[in-house]
Amino acid sequence: MTKPRKSTGGQPTPAAEKLRIFTAICDAVAHGVLVREAAKEYGINPATVWKWAAEDDVLGKLYAHAKHQAADALAEEAIRIALETTNETYSADRLKVDTLKWAAAKRRPKEYGERQAVETSGEQTLNVVIRSE
């Protein structure tokens, strides 16, 4: 049997506050904000965010989902930059678009990664086993 928790006078428990902050950071990450920038808003070292995600399965899944969603935000940002590119901004914009595409592909390779072709050469052997019922 666990002891009842003492009232904190309306203040959130440390665990509840941690979850609130972590959820807010994950929401920002899902919208394409870097973990460093999101953590800075709460006065937290980004390493702390990664530690929390690694130590707690629920937080880890929440963080992984946020990173997965971030791929869409990064891809949309790349499209926005490409559409707004001018002759004067082409070189800088190309670097931005390539970086955003790379980051989106790392987060969701099936959706944003390059298609991989597998080629084989030489003799191949195929063994077929026929089983009767």
Side-chain angles (χ1 to χ4, degrees), residues 1-122:
M1 185 169 164
T2 61
K3 292 182 182 179
R5 298 191 82 145
K6 290 185 179 180
S7 172
T8 57
Q11 296 295 320
T13 64
E17 183 65 8
K18 175 181 168 181
L19 180 60
R20 184 189 70 77
I21 290 170
F22 192 84
T23 302
I25 289 171
C26 285
D27 185 54
V29 168
H31 288 89
V33 176
L34 298 174
V35 173
R36 293 183 188 286
E37 293 172 7
K40 187 177 180 181
E41 287 289 318
Y42 293 93
I44 296 175
N45 186 319
T48 301
V49 175
W50 297 319
K51 181 181 172 193
W52 289 348
E55 292 176 346
D56 185 308
D57 287 341
V58 173
L59 298 183
K61 288 178 183 177
L62 185 64
Y63 181 71
H65 183 68
K67 295 294 273 188
H68 184 82
Q69 287 179 308
D72 292 333
L74 296 173
E76 286 188 14
E77 179 66 7
I79 292 168
R80 185 194 63 75
I81 291 169
L83 291 172
E84 294 174 0
T85 297
T86 65
N87 288 337
E88 293 78 30
T89 63
Y90 174 78
S91 294
D93 288 347
R94 172 127 191 210
L95 175 61
K96 291 175 189 175
V97 167
D98 287 347
T99 302
L100 291 166
K101 285 176 16 184
W102 172 85
K106 290 296 180 182
R107 286 174 175 89
R108 295 216 344 237
K110 286 183 181 178
E111 288 85 357
Y112 299 112
E114 297 290 325
R115 299 269 184 224
Q116 299 294 320
V118 178
E119 292 183 27
T120 61
S121 61

